[in-house]
Amino acid sequence: MTTDTRPAPAHRDHAVRVNDCALKLANVNGSGSASANMLLMKAIFRMGIPVSGKNLFPSNIQGLPTWYEIRVNETGHTGRALDYDLMVMMNMQTYADDVREVRSGGYALYDSTWPLDPGLVRPDVTYLGVPLTTLCAEHFSAAREQVLMKNICYAGAVVALLSIDVDIVSSLLDETFQRNARLRESNQLALRLGYEYACEHFDCPLPIRLEPMDANAGKILVDGNTATALGCLYAGATVAAWYPITPSTSVMDNFTSLCHRYRREPTGETGPDGEVRYRNDYLILQAEDELAAIGMVLGASWTGARAFTSTSGPGISLMNEMLGLGYYAEIPAVVVDVQRTGPSTGMPTRTQQADILLAAYASHGDTKHLLLFPSNPAECFELAVKAFDLAERFQTPVIMLTDLDIGMNDWVVPRLRWDDGYVPDRGRVLDKEALEQLGRFFRYADEDEDHVVARTLPGVSEKGAYFTRGSGHDKFGAYTEAPDEYQEVVDRLARKHAAAALHMPPPVLEARDGATIGVVAVGSSEPAIREALDLLDDSGLPVDFLRIRGFPFAPAVREFLDAHELVFVVELNRDAQLRSLLTVETGVDPARLRSVLAYGGFPMSARQVADGITAQLES
Amino acid sequence: MASITKPLIPLVRLERNELGLTVRDYEGAMSTLCAGCGHDSITAAIIRAVFELAIPPHMISKLSGIGCSSKTTAYFVRGAHGFNAVHGRMAAIATGANAANRQLRTIGVSGDGDSLSIGVGHLTHAIRRNVNMLYVIENNGVYGLTKGQFSASADVSSTSKRGEPNLLPPIDPMMLGLSLGATFVARGFSGDKAHLVPLLKAGLEHEGFALVDVISPCIQFGDHEGSTKSYAFTREHETLVDDPLLLGEDQIVAHLPDDATTSVRMHSGEVLRLRSLPAGFDPTDRASAFAYLEERKAAGEIPMGLFYVNEAVPDVHELNETSSEPLVSVPYKRLCPGSSALEEIQQRFV
Ligand SMILES: Cc1ncc(C[n+]2csc(CCOP(=O)(O)OP(=O)(O)O)c2C)c(N)n1
Ligand code: SF4
Ligand SMILES: [Mg+2]
């Protein structure tokens, strides 16, 4: 083992940059790096600085390369950066690629226990060698600990290099290992080792450095799947059915632990072995597949419970037939689709927005669904609640489309708020009294101004009994093969779908003076787009931005398209699916809609958006 | 309205059940199946069973898949909510329905195609979960509604109407149920209502998944010579293992001499009596049921009766300790933790 003793070159022409940098941490999957990376991210959050962390991980449990990116930006632009000020190179397999991604004038931290291949040395990059393996071998005895503590050790070095508040980091470790003194001490030691080594050997802090701010008051750091699960809990969902699939699994993991905590009461009775008995106000079913999961949701919703499932693209593919059943038989259902990269198994741990068309028209026959597009975890919470209200109000499946980036990464968002006056919108459900007032109940007659008909629930009254079928039915609910009777029902369904446009969450407009072109997008690309539009504005091109949050599209969407000469639809898929949906559903002249597409599996970056727009404007 | 309703011919002195309802009160729409279809007889048996058990019609939820058999949920208990879903997925939908309201009597009706091919995955998992429901397979060995293709229950060398033999071995729903640990496994015959009604009643009273396979000849595509699911073949080869079957002290269905008798106490408190049992066969012992079925099958017989019952296995709700009131009735106030809890939860996020 040799220790790299080359002194770090002086920071020549490096201007000091405060609270504006991008880090990339290159790790080996399964080596325990995630907690170290989270530690850095959370410490920066606690320093009050806008920050994002994106986990670019493989579909693998152990061994493949994995990266974590931290973007710090005082103006709040925390979309994905494409070049990095500091690369923490902890994976020899990817050294070459990682070195290449450092921006000119940037830094590369590596484990100098082993010498760096001279072929990897770039003259415009400063190499920071920290003998992590040696340090950990000297201070920890257990083999596993020597490996794990290298992570906290590099985090310590980064803390010193960027001048992250070491007290905050240290107290975060104390919180994490509250109940395990031994682990707490090991972690604290590893942190100190890295920190002190960097202080002694490098000119700390680097010109890229952090200073406390106050941008995170009233904010939280949370991932979208956790927030979605919270939304489902608060909406009053009692039945959940699911089949495990990345990147949606943690929706149900979180829902399960929340139910355990908030929906479970001891009954006061004990079982035969003296075990405490509980009363659970929920039932979570791990289904045999996604067909079953959506079936269970339809069965439960038909019976009157608020029920949901969470899945990803492959699951939506399987659910198609029953989404059509829900649409035609008018049964509420909430489906959370945490999108990943398709087609087929695709890249399960990478992100995309490529289920838009599938979700909009899922199933054979003339079907159309209600879609919700949250763009961050705070909206996941808000729109998950909204999903249940819409599903019951319109008696139809609602698919909330998030993606891996929103679902699994931690985002800084405003603290979630709950209005204790919230009353669930259960839609038109006739209770016993209402049924008694009624001459006779017919399931699909008597539409209201939104073309919604009243339903009844099993177990309430014989008078409300009706026969639900996915086969042809007339407005009385009876079987039919008569063209006019069939059409009467499906025409109302089309009107009902259209009427829902006014009940969807309205799009969010960000207008700029003098803008004649616009951008339209949904979901996770929002931060990248906002940053890109700032860049374009700085270069003299003001662009308006409309972020759509629901389908069917609110009238404001068509108005926005009409009000701009040219509209760029920015999305994370190859086939411009949102653009297609806009074209088909609003009737806008397709020539006015251009596409900016990124579909390699990583979150959108501002550069992709800005370059995509300028390139097309120039040509 | 294009539905066919039954003419209400006033009948003299119809028998009334505990609720004061007559059997007519448990009927449904007029069947549109072929005259003589076995499925219609099962419908009649279901009507009789729920009538005799005096289940309030609105407390039943009846679900089915797709097929001639699955159409029949429209033909019984018009006062119950019905759900004719998609092909093969009824078990999953019924699981959800039962999850939401455990107080409803969940009745699922399916076909051999619906249950043993496209839906076999859902059937097996509903059995595993021990969903508290009656699950009836109206078994005719063919896909009736799509015009007579062999189903997964067709016997080897049973022939189609056109004379082609079936080559693939059948899935016997009874063996499937037993091997999966089903807690109620029974077979009846649509042509023997007296035997079938008590079986269905016992299945309805069973707390857990009651799998009832009913041989139900398709007169269009399965009632010819060479079919092993025809009326004639079934009559000739059936062996009643427990005819008759008594439910409770006061519900004597028939009178028979007291020979070998087994009693099972149902969750509901009633006592299920199985009489005239063959020697060595014990319907509370799974291994004995297996052995008996294998032996009879080898002898070319079609055994009919309750092969296995176990009241001690928790159903999906007991296993999950779901509140005893239906989840649909839990007030929202109890479901939403409120704003202060949300504050508390978010301490983790700062
Ligand atoms: C997904 C799907 N595939 C195929 C069909 C066509 N189909 C309708 S009923 C049926 C078979 C029904 O057979 P079975 O369940 O045995 O009922 P039976 O008509 O014999 O009572 C099939 C294949 C369908 N409705 N849905
Ligand atoms: S085709 Fe066969 S199963 Fe279908 S209704 Fe006719 S007899 Fe019954
Ligand atoms: Mg059949």
Side-chain angles (χ1 to χ4, degrees), chain A residues 128-419:
Chain A
L128 309 167
V130 182
L132 296 163
T133 304
T134 310
L135 285 173
C136 291
E138 284 167 5
H139 292 86
F140 301 102
S141 48
R144 177 80 186 141
E145 209 171 31
Q146 290 177 353
V147 174
L148 285 177
M149 288 309 146
K150 274 201 291 189
N151 299 306
I152 302 297
C153 197
Y154 76 63
V158 172
V159 166
L161 290 164
L162 300 183
S163 123
I164 295 172
D165 188 328
V166 72
D167 292 337
I168 291 179
V169 181
S170 172
S171 60
L172 277 168
L173 286 177
D174 283 347
E175 287 167 31
T176 310
F177 302 105
Q178 223 170 21
R179 292 200 195 88
N180 189 330
R182 212 186 54 76
L183 269 179
R184 191 165 63 232
E185 274 152 33
S186 310
N187 277 270
Q188 294 287 10
L189 171 61
L191 174 70
R192 264 200 318 278
L193 288 172
Y195 185 82
E196 280 162 12
Y197 186 92
C199 288
E200 279 163 31
H201 294 80
F202 313 121
D203 197 358
C204 289
L206 300 176
I208 44 160
R209 62 183 66 160
L210 307 188
E211 282 173 13
M213 280 176 67
D214 194 20
N216 294 338
K219 301 244 173 96
I220 52 168
L221 191 61
V222 71
D223 65 85
N225 287 352
T226 302
T228 298
L230 272 168
C232 296
L233 180 80
Y234 274 72
T238 50
V239 177
W242 70 299
Y243 189 78
I245 184 167
T246 304
S248 74
T249 298
S250 57
V251 172
M252 216 50 88
D253 288 347
N254 276 289
F255 185 70
T256 306
S257 50
L258 287 167
C259 284
H260 224 266
R261 170 78 178 77
Y262 293 102
R263 292 277 189 79
R264 183 177 170 83
E265 293 284 336
T267 57
E269 290 161 25
T270 47
D273 302 322
E275 72 275 15
V276 180
R277 281 281 163 85
Y278 290 93
R279 179 203 75 201
N280 293 327
D281 289 333
Y282 66 95
L283 183 55
I284 298 168
L285 297 153
Q286 187 183 319
E288 52 272 25
D289 54 35
E290 288 88 346
L291 294 94
I294 183 69
M296 290 167 184
V297 168
L298 288 177
S301 300
W302 175 77
T303 308
R306 284 197 153 184
F308 77 102
T309 181
S310 55
T311 187
S312 190
I316 300 288
S317 289
L318 286 183
M319 290 178 190
N320 264 256
E321 187 188 20
M322 272 198 271
L323 287 169
L325 171 67
Y327 170 80
Y328 188 34
E330 299 183 65
I331 304 166
V334 171
V335 178
V336 179
D337 176 8
V338 187
Q339 296 168 94
R340 66 188 215 184
T341 305
S344 190
T345 301
M347 298 192 284
T349 60
R350 298 291 151 84
T351 202
Q352 247 178 11
Q353 300 170 320
D355 298 348
I356 298 174
L357 286 175
L358 170 70
Y361 303 120
S363 187
H364 58 278
D366 289 323
T367 47
K368 281 184 181 188
H369 302 291
L370 306 188
L371 309 183
L372 292 170
F373 302 101
S375 77
N376 59 53
E379 281 195 344
C380 287
F381 176 70
E382 179 195 332
L383 297 192
V385 178
K386 183 90 185 163
F388 287 93
D389 285 345
L390 286 167
E392 292 197 310
R393 179 78 195 86
F394 288 94
Q395 298 176 15
T396 197
V398 174
I399 306 170
M400 181 165 101
L401 292 141
T402 73
D403 68 5
L404 180 140
D405 183 18
I406 302 173
M408 292 188 70
N409 287 321
D410 281 323
W411 293 55
V412 178
V413 293
R415 188 172 266 272
L416 309 179
R417 304 247 165 260
W418 184 250
D419 171 8

Side-chain angles (χ1 to χ4, degrees), chain B residues 224-246:
Chain B
H224 47 273
E225 172 122 30
S227 161
T228 60
K229 296 273 191 300
S230 66
Y231 281 108
F233 189 92
T234 309
R235 286 226 165 83
E236 220 168 283
H237 294 83
E238 70 172 330
T239 309
L240 297 186
V241 302
D242 51 11
D243 182 40
L245 179 148
L246 314 177

Side-chain angles (χ1 to χ4, degrees), chain B residues 154-345:
Chain B
D155 293 307
V156 173
S157 74
S158 178
T159 58
S160 72
K161 207 173 177 183
R162 273 181 290 165
E164 301 109 338
N166 172 50
L167 303 177
L168 290 176
I171 297 175
D172 178 347
M174 301 290 89
M175 298 305 251
L176 181 71
L178 284 174
S179 68
L180 289 166
T183 52
F184 185 104
V185 181
R187 179 184 285 138
F189 176 33
S190 67
D192 188 350
K193 191 174 167 191
H195 179 250
L196 181 57
V197 170
L199 274 184
L200 294 171
K201 284 169 70 181
L204 281 160
E205 292 296 89
H206 172 62
E207 181 115 336
F209 193 88
L211 180 63
V212 182
D213 177 33
V214 187
I215 305 299
S216 176
C218 167
I219 58 128
Q220 295 286 357
F221 306 108
D223 201 32
H224 47 273
E225 172 122 30
S227 161
T228 60
K229 296 273 191 300
S230 66
Y231 281 108
F233 189 92
T234 309
R235 286 226 165 83
E236 220 168 283
H237 294 83
E238 70 172 330
T239 309
L240 297 186
V241 302
D242 51 11
D243 182 40
L245 179 148
L246 314 177
L247 186 66
E249 299 296 336
D250 52 341
Q251 296 184 38
I252 296 168
V253 173
H255 222 60
L256 261 207
D258 270 328
D259 47 12
T261 300
T262 293
S263 294
V264 181
R265 183 165 289 279
M266 308 294 283
H267 244 270
S268 57
E270 283 150 313
V271 176
L272 173 63
R273 283 208 195 142
L274 305 165
R275 304 210 280 188
S276 305
L277 291 178
F281 169 68
D282 175 4
T284 62
D285 171 13
R286 204 143 67 100
S288 117
F290 251 121
Y292 176 77
L293 283 176
E294 281 292 358
E295 180 197 301
R296 292 298 98 200
K297 201 162 74 180
E301 293 173 16
I302 309 169
M304 305 274 181
L306 175 58
F307 305 128
Y308 181 67
V309 59
N310 185 347
E311 286 292 290
V313 181
D315 84 327
V316 65
H317 285 289
E318 287 176 70
L319 210 57
N320 288 280
E321 300 188 292
T322 320
S323 64
S324 53
E325 68 205 291
L327 288 174
V328 288
S329 313
V330 177
Y332 175 70
K333 266 209 315 275
R334 219 167 86 192
L335 299 175
C336 178
S339 58
S340 54
L342 190 61
E343 285 301 308
E344 176 195 307
I345 292 166

Side-chain angles (χ1 to χ4, degrees), chain B residues 32-34 36-39 68-69 140 142 144-145 217-221:
Chain B
T32 58
L33 302 184
C34 306
C37 174
H39 301 346
C68 296
S69 36
N140 53 17
V142 291
L145 195 57
C218 167
I219 58 128
Q220 295 286 357
F221 306 108

